Coordinates of all heavy atoms in Angstrom, one line a residue:
M1 N 36.2 23.7 40.1 CA 35.6 22.4 40.2 C 34.1 22.5 39.9 O 33.5 21.7 39.1 CB 35.8 21.8 41.6 CG 35.3 20.4 41.7 SD 36.4 19.3 40.8 CE 36.0 17.8 41.6
R2 N 33.4 23.5 40.5 CA 32.0 23.7 40.2 C 31.7 24.1 38.8 O 30.7 23.6 38.2 CB 31.5 24.9 41.1 CG 31.1 24.5 42.4 CD 30.4 25.6 43.1 NE 30.3 25.3 44.5 CZ 29.2 25.5 45.2 NH1 28.2 26.2 44.6 NH2 29.0 25.1 46.4
G3 N 32.6 24.9 38.2 CA 32.4 25.2 36.7 C 32.5 24.0 35.9 O 31.8 23.8 34.9
Q4 N 33.4 23.1 36.2 CA 33.6 21.9 35.4 C 32.4 21.0 35.6 O 31.9 20.4 34.6 CB 34.9 21.2 35.9 CG 35.2 20.0 35.0 CD 36.5 19.3 35.4 OE1 37.1 19.6 36.5 NE2 37.0 18.4 34.6
V5 N 31.8 20.8 36.7 CA 30.6 20.0 37.0 C 29.4 20.6 36.2 O 28.6 19.9 35.6 CB 30.3 19.9 38.5 CG1 29.0 19.2 38.7 CG2 31.4 19.1 39.2
K6 N 29.3 21.9 36.3 CA 28.2 22.6 35.6 C 28.4 22.4 34.1 O 27.4 22.1 33.4 CB 28.2 24.1 35.9 CG 27.1 24.9 35.3 CD 27.1 26.3 35.8 CE 25.9 27.1 35.2 NZ 25.9 28.5 35.7
H7 N 29.6 22.5 33.6 CA 29.8 22.3 32.1 C 29.5 20.9 31.7 O 28.9 20.7 30.7 CB 31.3 22.7 31.8 CG 31.6 22.6 30.4 ND1 31.1 23.4 29.4 CD2 32.4 21.7 29.7 CE1 31.6 23.1 28.3 NE2 32.4 22.0 28.4
L8 N 29.9 19.9 32.5 CA 29.6 18.5 32.2 C 28.1 18.2 32.3 O 27.6 17.5 31.5 CB 30.4 17.6 33.2 CG 31.9 17.5 33.0 CD1 32.5 16.7 34.1 CD2 32.2 16.9 31.6
G9 N 27.4 18.9 33.2 CA 26.0 18.8 33.3 C 25.3 19.3 32.0 O 24.4 18.7 31.5
M10 N 25.8 20.4 31.5 CA 25.3 21.0 30.3 C 25.6 20.1 29.1 O 24.7 19.9 28.2 CB 25.9 22.4 30.0 CG 25.3 23.4 31.0 SD 26.2 25.1 30.9 CE 26.4 25.3 29.2
L11 N 26.8 19.5 29.0 CA 27.1 18.6 27.9 C 26.2 17.4 28.0 O 25.8 16.9 26.9 CB 28.6 18.2 28.0 CG 29.6 19.3 27.7 CD1 31.0 18.9 27.9 CD2 29.4 19.8 26.2
L12 N 26.0 16.9 29.2 CA 25.1 15.7 29.3 C 23.7 16.0 28.8 O 23.1 15.2 28.1 CB 25.1 15.2 30.7 CG 24.3 14.0 31.0 CD1 24.8 12.8 30.2 CD2 24.3 13.6 32.5
D13 N 23.2 17.2 29.2 CA 21.9 17.6 28.8 C 21.8 17.7 27.3 O 20.8 17.3 26.6 CB 21.5 18.9 29.5 CG 20.1 19.3 29.2 OD1 19.2 18.5 29.3 OD2 19.9 20.5 28.8
Q14 N 22.8 18.3 26.7 CA 22.9 18.5 25.2 C 22.9 17.1 24.5 O 22.2 16.9 23.5 CB 24.1 19.3 24.8 CG 24.2 19.6 23.4 CD 25.4 20.4 23.0 OE1 26.4 20.5 23.8 NE2 25.4 21.0 21.8
Q15 N 23.7 16.2 25.1 CA 23.8 14.9 24.5 C 22.4 14.2 24.5 O 22.0 13.5 23.6 CB 24.8 14.0 25.2 CG 25.0 12.6 24.7 CD 25.9 11.8 25.5 OE1 26.3 12.2 26.6 NE2 26.3 10.6 25.0
Q16 N 21.7 14.3 25.6 CA 20.4 13.7 25.8 C 19.4 14.3 24.8 O 18.6 13.5 24.2 CB 19.9 13.8 27.2 CG 20.6 12.9 28.2 CD 20.2 13.2 29.6 OE1 19.7 14.2 29.9 NE2 20.6 12.2 30.5
R17 N 19.4 15.6 24.6 CA 18.5 16.2 23.6 C 18.9 15.8 22.2 O 18.0 15.5 21.4 CB 18.6 17.7 23.7 CG 17.8 18.3 24.9 CD 17.7 19.8 24.9 NE 18.7 20.3 25.8 CZ 19.6 21.2 25.4 NH1 19.6 21.7 24.2 NH2 20.6 21.6 26.3
L18 N 20.1 15.7 21.9 CA 20.5 15.2 20.6 C 20.1 13.8 20.3 O 19.7 13.4 19.2 CB 22.0 15.4 20.3 CG 22.5 16.8 20.2 CD1 24.1 16.8 20.2 CD2 22.0 17.4 18.9
A19 N 20.3 12.9 21.3 CA 19.8 11.5 21.2 C 18.3 11.4 21.0 O 17.9 10.6 20.2 CB 20.2 10.8 22.5
L20 N 17.6 12.3 21.7 CA 16.1 12.3 21.5 C 15.7 12.8 20.1 O 14.9 12.2 19.4 CB 15.5 13.2 22.5 CG 13.9 13.3 22.6 CD1 13.4 11.9 22.8 CD2 13.5 14.2 23.6
Q21 N 16.4 13.8 19.6 CA 16.2 14.2 18.2 C 16.5 13.1 17.2 O 15.7 12.9 16.3 CB 17.1 15.4 17.9 CG 16.6 16.7 18.4 CD 17.5 17.9 18.1 OE1 18.7 17.7 17.8 NE2 16.9 19.1 18.1
D22 N 17.6 12.4 17.4 CA 18.0 11.3 16.5 C 16.9 10.2 16.5 O 16.5 9.7 15.5 CB 19.3 10.7 16.9 CG 20.5 11.6 16.6 OD1 20.3 12.6 15.8 OD2 21.6 11.3 17.1
K23 N 16.4 9.9 17.7 CA 15.4 8.9 17.8 C 14.1 9.3 17.1 O 13.5 8.5 16.4 CB 15.1 8.6 19.3 CG 14.1 7.5 19.5 CD 13.8 7.3 21.0 CE 12.8 6.2 21.2 NZ 12.5 6.0 22.6
K24 N 13.7 10.6 17.2 CA 12.5 11.0 16.5 C 12.7 11.0 15.0 O 11.8 10.6 14.3 CB 12.2 12.5 16.9 CG 11.6 12.6 18.3 CD 11.3 14.0 18.7 CE 10.8 14.1 20.1 NZ 10.5 15.5 20.5
L25 N 13.9 11.4 14.5 CA 14.2 11.4 13.1 C 14.2 9.9 12.6 O 13.6 9.7 11.5 CB 15.5 12.0 12.8 CG 15.6 13.5 12.7 CD1 17.0 14.0 12.6 CD2 14.7 14.0 11.6
L26 N 14.7 9.0 13.3 CA 14.7 7.6 12.9 C 13.3 7.1 12.8 O 13.0 6.3 11.9 CB 15.6 6.8 13.9 CG 17.1 6.9 13.7 CD1 17.8 6.1 14.8 CD2 17.5 6.4 12.4
E27 N 12.5 7.4 13.8 CA 11.1 7.0 13.7 C 10.4 7.6 12.5 O 9.6 6.9 11.8 CB 10.4 7.4 15.0 CG 10.8 6.6 16.2 CD 10.2 7.1 17.5 OE1 9.5 8.1 17.5 OE2 10.5 6.5 18.5
E28 N 10.6 8.9 12.2 CA 10.0 9.5 11.0 C 10.5 8.8 9.7 O 9.7 8.5 8.8 CB 10.3 11.0 11.0 CG 9.6 11.8 12.0 CD 10.1 13.2 12.0 OE1 10.7 13.7 11.0 OE2 9.8 14.0 13.0
Y29 N 11.8 8.5 9.6 CA 12.3 7.9 8.5 C 11.7 6.5 8.3 O 11.4 6.0 7.2 CB 13.8 7.8 8.5 CG 14.5 9.1 8.3 CD1 15.8 9.4 8.9 CD2 14.0 10.1 7.5 CE1 16.4 10.6 8.8 CE2 14.6 11.3 7.4 CZ 15.8 11.6 8.0 OH 16.5 12.7 7.8
K30 N 11.6 5.8 9.4 CA 11.0 4.4 9.4 C 9.6 4.5 8.9 O 9.1 3.7 8.1 CB 11.1 3.8 10.7 CG 10.7 2.3 10.7 CD 10.8 1.6 12.0 CE 10.5 0.2 11.9 NZ 9.4 -0.2 12.7
A31 N 8.8 5.4 9.4 CA 7.4 5.6 9.0 C 7.3 5.9 7.5 O 6.5 5.4 6.8 CB 6.7 6.6 9.8
E32 N 8.2 6.8 7.1 CA 8.2 7.2 5.6 C 8.6 6.0 4.8 O 8.0 5.7 3.7 CB 9.2 8.3 5.4 CG 9.2 8.8 4.0 CD 8.0 9.5 3.5 OE1 7.2 9.9 4.4 OE2 7.9 9.7 2.3
N33 N 9.5 5.2 5.2 CA 10.0 4.0 4.5 C 8.9 3.0 4.4 O 8.6 2.4 3.3 CB 11.2 3.4 5.2 CG 11.9 2.4 4.3 OD1 11.7 2.3 3.1 ND2 12.6 1.5 5.0
D34 N 8.2 2.8 5.5 CA 7.0 1.8 5.5 C 5.9 2.3 4.6 O 5.3 1.5 3.9 CB 6.5 1.7 6.9 CG 7.5 0.9 7.9 OD1 8.4 0.3 7.3 OD2 7.3 1.0 9.1
R35 N 5.7 3.6 4.6 CA 4.6 4.2 3.7 C 5.0 4.0 2.3 O 4.2 3.5 1.4 CB 4.4 5.7 4.0 CG 3.3 6.3 3.3 CD 3.2 7.8 3.5 NE 4.3 8.5 3.0 CZ 4.4 8.9 1.7 NH1 3.4 8.5 0.8 NH2 5.4 9.5 1.3
L36 N 6.3 4.2 1.9 CA 6.7 4.0 0.5 C 6.7 2.5 0.1 O 6.3 2.2 -1.0 CB 8.1 4.6 0.3 CG 8.2 6.1 0.4 CD1 9.7 6.5 0.4 CD2 7.4 6.7 -0.7
K37 N 7.0 1.6 1.0 CA 6.9 0.2 0.7 C 5.5 -0.2 0.5 O 5.2 -1.0 -0.4 CB 7.5 -0.6 1.9 CG 9.0 -0.6 1.9 CD 9.5 -1.5 3.0 CE 11.0 -1.5 3.1 NZ 11.5 -2.4 4.2
A38 N 4.6 0.4 1.3 CA 3.2 0.0 1.1 C 2.6 0.5 -0.2 O 1.8 -0.2 -0.8 CB 2.3 0.6 2.3
L39 N 3.2 1.6 -0.7 CA 2.8 2.1 -2.0 C 3.3 1.2 -3.1 O 2.7 1.0 -4.2 CB 3.2 3.5 -2.2 CG 2.5 4.6 -1.4 CD1 3.2 5.9 -1.6 CD2 1.0 4.6 -1.7
K40 N 4.6 0.8 -2.9 CA 5.3 0.0 -4.0 C 4.8 -1.4 -4.1 O 4.6 -1.9 -5.2 CB 6.8 0.0 -3.7 CG 7.6 -0.7 -4.7 CD 9.1 -0.6 -4.4 CE 9.9 -1.3 -5.4 NZ 11.3 -1.3 -5.1
I41 N 4.6 -2.1 -3.0 CA 4.2 -3.5 -3.0 C 2.7 -3.6 -2.7 O 2.3 -3.3 -1.6 CB 5.0 -4.3 -1.9 CG1 6.5 -4.1 -2.2 CG2 4.6 -5.8 -1.9 CD1 7.4 -4.7 -1.1
P42 N 1.9 -4.1 -3.7 CA 0.5 -4.3 -3.4 C 0.3 -5.4 -2.4 O 1.0 -6.4 -2.4 CB -0.1 -4.6 -4.7 CG 1.0 -5.0 -5.6 CD 2.3 -4.4 -5.0
S43 N -0.7 -5.2 -1.5 CA -0.9 -6.2 -0.5 C -1.5 -7.5 -1.2 O -1.9 -7.5 -2.3 CB -1.9 -5.7 0.5 OG -3.2 -5.5 -0.1
Q44 N -1.6 -8.6 -0.4 CA -2.1 -9.8 -0.9 C -3.6 -9.7 -1.3 O -4.0 -10.2 -2.3 CB -2.0 -10.9 0.2 CG -2.4 -12.3 -0.3 CD -1.5 -12.8 -1.4 OE1 -0.3 -12.5 -1.6 NE2 -2.0 -13.7 -2.3
E45 N -4.3 -8.9 -0.5 CA -5.7 -8.7 -0.9 C -5.8 -8.0 -2.2 O -6.7 -8.3 -3.0 CB -6.4 -7.9 0.2 CG -6.5 -8.6 1.5 CD -7.1 -7.7 2.6 OE1 -7.3 -6.5 2.4 OE2 -7.2 -8.2 3.7
T46 N -5.0 -7.0 -2.5 CA -5.0 -6.3 -3.7 C -4.7 -7.2 -4.9 O -5.3 -7.1 -5.9 CB -4.0 -5.1 -3.7 OG1 -4.3 -4.3 -2.5 CG2 -4.1 -4.2 -4.9
K47 N -3.7 -8.1 -4.7 CA -3.4 -9.0 -5.7 C -4.6 -9.9 -6.0 O -4.9 -10.2 -7.2 CB -2.2 -9.8 -5.3 CG -0.9 -9.1 -5.3 CD 0.3 -10.0 -4.9 CE 1.6 -9.2 -4.7 NZ 2.7 -10.0 -4.2
E48 N -5.2 -10.4 -5.0 CA -6.4 -11.3 -5.2 C -7.5 -10.5 -5.9 O -8.2 -11.1 -6.8 CB -6.9 -11.8 -3.9 CG -5.9 -12.8 -3.2 CD -6.3 -13.2 -1.8 OE1 -7.3 -12.7 -1.3 OE2 -5.6 -14.0 -1.2
E49 N -7.7 -9.2 -5.6 CA -8.7 -8.5 -6.3 C -8.4 -8.3 -7.7 O -9.3 -8.4 -8.6 CB -8.9 -7.1 -5.6 CG -9.5 -7.1 -4.2 CD -9.5 -5.8 -3.5 OE1 -9.1 -4.8 -4.2 OE2 -9.9 -5.7 -2.4
L50 N -7.1 -8.1 -8.0 CA -6.7 -7.9 -9.4 C -7.0 -9.2 -10.2 O -7.5 -9.2 -11.3 CB -5.3 -7.5 -9.5 CG -4.9 -6.1 -9.1 CD1 -3.4 -5.9 -9.1 CD2 -5.5 -5.1 -10.1
V51 N -6.7 -10.3 -9.6 CA -6.9 -11.6 -10.3 C -8.4 -11.9 -10.5 O -8.8 -12.3 -11.5 CB -6.2 -12.8 -9.4 CG1 -6.7 -14.1 -9.9 CG2 -4.7 -12.7 -9.5
D52 N -9.2 -11.5 -9.4 CA -10.6 -11.7 -9.6 C -11.2 -10.8 -10.7 O -12.0 -11.3 -11.5 CB -11.3 -11.4 -8.2 CG -11.1 -12.4 -7.2 OD1 -10.6 -13.5 -7.5 OD2 -11.3 -12.1 -6.0
N53 N -10.7 -9.6 -10.7 CA -11.2 -8.7 -11.8 C -10.8 -9.1 -13.2 O -11.6 -9.1 -14.1 CB -10.7 -7.2 -11.5 CG -11.3 -6.6 -10.3 OD1 -12.4 -7.0 -9.9 ND2 -10.7 -5.5 -9.8
Q54 N -9.6 -9.6 -13.3 CA -9.1 -10.1 -14.6 C -9.9 -11.3 -15.0 O -10.3 -11.5 -16.2 CB -7.6 -10.4 -14.6 CG -6.8 -9.2 -14.5 CD -5.3 -9.5 -14.3 OE1 -5.0 -10.6 -14.0 NE2 -4.5 -8.5 -14.5
S55 N -10.2 -12.3 -14.1 CA -10.9 -13.5 -14.4 C -12.4 -13.1 -14.8 O -13.0 -13.7 -15.7 CB -10.9 -14.5 -13.3 OG -11.6 -14.0 -12.2
Q56 N -12.9 -12.1 -14.1 CA -14.3 -11.7 -14.4 C -14.3 -11.0 -15.8 O -15.3 -11.3 -16.6 CB -14.8 -10.7 -13.4 CG -16.2 -10.2 -13.6 CD -17.2 -11.4 -13.5 OE1 -17.0 -12.3 -12.7 NE2 -18.3 -11.3 -14.3
E57 N -13.3 -10.3 -16.2 CA -13.2 -9.7 -17.5 C -13.1 -10.7 -18.6 O -13.8 -10.6 -19.6 CB -12.1 -8.7 -17.6 CG -12.2 -7.4 -16.8 CD -11.0 -6.6 -16.8 OE1 -10.0 -6.9 -17.5 OE2 -11.0 -5.6 -16.0
V58 N -12.3 -11.7 -18.3 CA -12.1 -12.8 -19.3 C -13.5 -13.6 -19.5 O -13.9 -13.9 -20.6 CB -11.0 -13.8 -18.8 CG1 -11.1 -15.1 -19.6 CG2 -9.7 -13.1 -18.9
T59 N -14.2 -13.8 -18.4 CA -15.5 -14.5 -18.4 C -16.5 -13.6 -19.2 O -17.2 -14.2 -20.1 CB -16.0 -14.7 -17.0 OG1 -15.1 -15.4 -16.3 CG2 -17.4 -15.4 -17.0
N60 N -16.5 -12.3 -19.0 CA -17.4 -11.5 -19.8 C -17.1 -11.5 -21.3 O -18.0 -11.5 -22.1 CB -17.3 -10.0 -19.3 CG -17.9 -9.9 -17.9 OD1 -18.6 -10.7 -17.4 ND2 -17.5 -8.8 -17.2
V61 N -15.8 -11.5 -21.6 CA -15.4 -11.5 -23.0 C -15.8 -12.8 -23.7 O -16.3 -12.9 -24.8 CB -13.9 -11.2 -23.2 CG1 -13.4 -11.5 -24.6 CG2 -13.5 -9.8 -22.8
V62 N -15.6 -13.9 -22.9 CA -15.9 -15.2 -23.5 C -17.4 -15.3 -23.7 O -17.9 -15.8 -24.7 CB -15.4 -16.3 -22.5 CG1 -16.0 -17.7 -22.9 CG2 -13.9 -16.4 -22.5
E63 N -18.2 -14.9 -22.7 CA -19.6 -14.9 -22.8 C -20.1 -14.1 -24.0 O -21.0 -14.4 -24.8 CB -20.3 -14.4 -21.5 CG -20.2 -15.4 -20.4 CD -20.8 -14.9 -19.1 OE1 -21.2 -13.7 -19.1 OE2 -20.8 -15.6 -18.1
A64 N -19.5 -12.9 -24.2 CA -19.9 -12.0 -25.3 C -19.6 -12.6 -26.6 O -20.3 -12.4 -27.6 CB -19.2 -10.7 -25.1
T65 N -18.5 -13.4 -26.7 CA -18.1 -13.9 -28.0 C -18.7 -15.3 -28.3 O -18.7 -15.7 -29.5 CB -16.6 -14.1 -28.1 OG1 -16.1 -14.9 -27.0 CG2 -15.9 -12.7 -28.0
T66 N -19.3 -15.9 -27.3 CA -19.9 -17.3 -27.6 C -21.4 -17.3 -27.7 O -22.0 -18.3 -27.6 CB -19.5 -18.2 -26.4 OG1 -19.9 -17.7 -25.2 CG2 -18.0 -18.4 -26.4
K67 N -22.0 -16.1 -27.8 CA -23.5 -16.1 -27.9 C -23.9 -16.7 -29.3 O -23.3 -16.4 -30.3 CB -24.0 -14.7 -27.8 CG -24.0 -14.1 -26.4 CD -24.7 -12.8 -26.3 CE -24.7 -12.4 -24.9 NZ -25.4 -11.1 -24.7
V68 N -24.9 -17.5 -29.2 CA -25.3 -18.2 -30.4 C -26.3 -17.3 -31.2 O -27.3 -16.8 -30.6 CB -26.1 -19.5 -30.1 CG1 -26.6 -20.2 -31.3 CG2 -25.1 -20.4 -29.3
P69 N -26.0 -17.0 -32.4 CA -26.9 -16.2 -33.2 C -28.3 -16.9 -33.4 O -28.3 -18.1 -33.7 CB -26.2 -15.9 -34.5 CG -25.2 -17.0 -34.6 CD -24.9 -17.5 -33.2
R70 N -29.3 -16.2 -33.1 CA -30.6 -16.8 -33.2 C -31.3 -16.3 -34.5 O -31.2 -15.2 -34.9 CB -31.5 -16.4 -32.0 CG -30.9 -17.0 -30.8 CD -31.7 -16.8 -29.6 NE -31.1 -17.4 -28.4 CZ -31.7 -17.8 -27.4 NH1 -33.0 -17.6 -27.3 NH2 -31.0 -18.3 -26.4
K71 N -32.0 -17.2 -35.1 CA -32.8 -16.9 -36.3 C -34.0 -16.0 -35.9 O -34.5 -16.1 -34.8 CB -33.2 -18.2 -37.0 CG -32.1 -19.1 -37.3 CD -31.2 -18.5 -38.3 CE -30.1 -19.5 -38.7 NZ -28.9 -19.0 -39.3
W72 N -34.5 -15.3 -36.9 CA -35.6 -14.4 -36.5 C -36.9 -15.2 -36.1 O -37.7 -14.7 -35.4 CB -35.9 -13.5 -37.7 CG -36.4 -14.2 -39.0 CD1 -35.6 -14.7 -40.0 CD2 -37.7 -14.5 -39.3 NE1 -36.3 -15.3 -40.9 CE2 -37.6 -15.2 -40.5 CE3 -38.9 -14.3 -38.7 CZ2 -38.8 -15.7 -41.2 CZ3 -40.1 -14.8 -39.4 CH2 -40.0 -15.4 -40.6
W73 N -37.0 -16.4 -36.6 CA -38.2 -17.2 -36.3 C -38.1 -17.9 -34.9 O -39.0 -18.5 -34.5 CB -38.5 -18.2 -37.4 CG -37.5 -19.3 -37.6 CD1 -37.4 -20.4 -36.9 CD2 -36.4 -19.2 -38.5 NE1 -36.3 -21.1 -37.4 CE2 -35.7 -20.4 -38.4 CE3 -36.0 -18.3 -39.5 CZ2 -34.5 -20.6 -39.1 CZ3 -34.9 -18.5 -40.2 CH2 -34.2 -19.7 -40.0
Q74 N -36.9 -17.8 -34.3 CA -36.7 -18.4 -32.9 C -36.6 -17.3 -31.8 O -36.0 -17.5 -30.8 CB -35.4 -19.2 -32.9 CG -35.5 -20.4 -33.8 CD -34.2 -21.2 -33.9 OE1 -33.1 -20.6 -33.5 NE2 -34.2 -22.4 -34.2
F75 N -37.3 -16.2 -32.0 CA -37.2 -15.1 -31.1 C -37.8 -15.5 -29.7 O -37.5 -14.8 -28.7 CB -37.9 -13.8 -31.6 CG -39.4 -14.0 -31.8 CD1 -40.2 -13.6 -30.8 CD2 -39.9 -14.4 -33.0 CE1 -41.6 -13.7 -31.0 CE2 -41.2 -14.5 -33.2 CZ -42.1 -14.1 -32.2
W76 N -38.7 -16.5 -29.6 CA -39.3 -16.8 -28.3 C -38.4 -17.6 -27.4 O -38.7 -17.9 -26.3 CB -40.6 -17.5 -28.5 CG -40.5 -18.8 -29.3 CD1 -40.2 -20.0 -28.9 CD2 -40.7 -18.9 -30.7 NE1 -40.2 -20.9 -29.9 CE2 -40.5 -20.2 -31.1 CE3 -41.0 -18.0 -31.8 CZ2 -40.5 -20.7 -32.4 CZ3 -41.1 -18.5 -33.0 CH2 -40.8 -19.8 -33.4
R77 N -37.3 -18.1 -27.9 CA -36.4 -18.9 -27.1 C -35.5 -18.1 -26.2 O -35.1 -17.1 -26.4 CB -35.5 -19.8 -28.0 CG -36.3 -20.9 -28.6 CD -35.3 -21.9 -29.2 NE -36.1 -23.0 -29.7 CZ -35.6 -24.1 -30.2 NH1 -34.3 -24.1 -30.4 NH2 -36.3 -25.0 -30.7

């Protein structure tokens, strides 16, 4: 009887350690998954920055192409 109780106690201890290991692994996998999702999907702020940069580039190109050529006698303007 004592041997059986001792054996069941050891099995219970082993089960608890395995459950704790599983929990730690799941947390690590979840953290890794979240990290990969963060790399894959740009945040809303990043999207807004990209749109701002693109609109600024378009503005710069438009300004560069719409400069009015000035005659040499109008250099003071």
Side-chain angles (χ1 to χ4, degrees):
M1 186 72 162
R2 274 184 188 225
Q4 189 177 9
V5 170
K6 186 176 180 180
H7 183 67
L8 288 174
M10 288 172 40
L11 290 175
L12 180 61
D13 186 47
Q14 183 182 17
Q15 180 186 9
Q16 289 173 341
R17 280 190 265 126
L18 288 172
L20 184 60
Q21 282 179 335
D22 287 346
K23 183 178 177 182
K24 286 179 182 178
L25 280 174
L26 284 173
E27 288 174 357
E28 288 177 15
Y29 290 148
K30 184 176 184 241
E32 180 72 12
N33 191 24
D34 291 345
R35 186 183 68 80
L36 291 173
K37 282 182 181 178
L39 291 175
K40 183 178 178 183
I41 302 171
S43 66
Q44 185 64 28
E45 293 174 358
T46 307
K47 289 179 184 176
E48 290 173 0
E49 289 174 4
L50 288 173
V51 169
D52 289 343
N53 289 342
Q54 289 174 347
S55 65
Q56 184 63 35
E57 289 174 7
V58 168
T59 303
N60 291 342
V61 169
V62 169
E63 287 176 359
T65 58
T66 57
K67 287 189 176 180
V68 177
R70 297 186 180 204
K71 305 294 183 197
W72 64 270
W73 63 86
Q74 294 177 338
F75 65 91
W76 58 85
R77 285 191 178 184

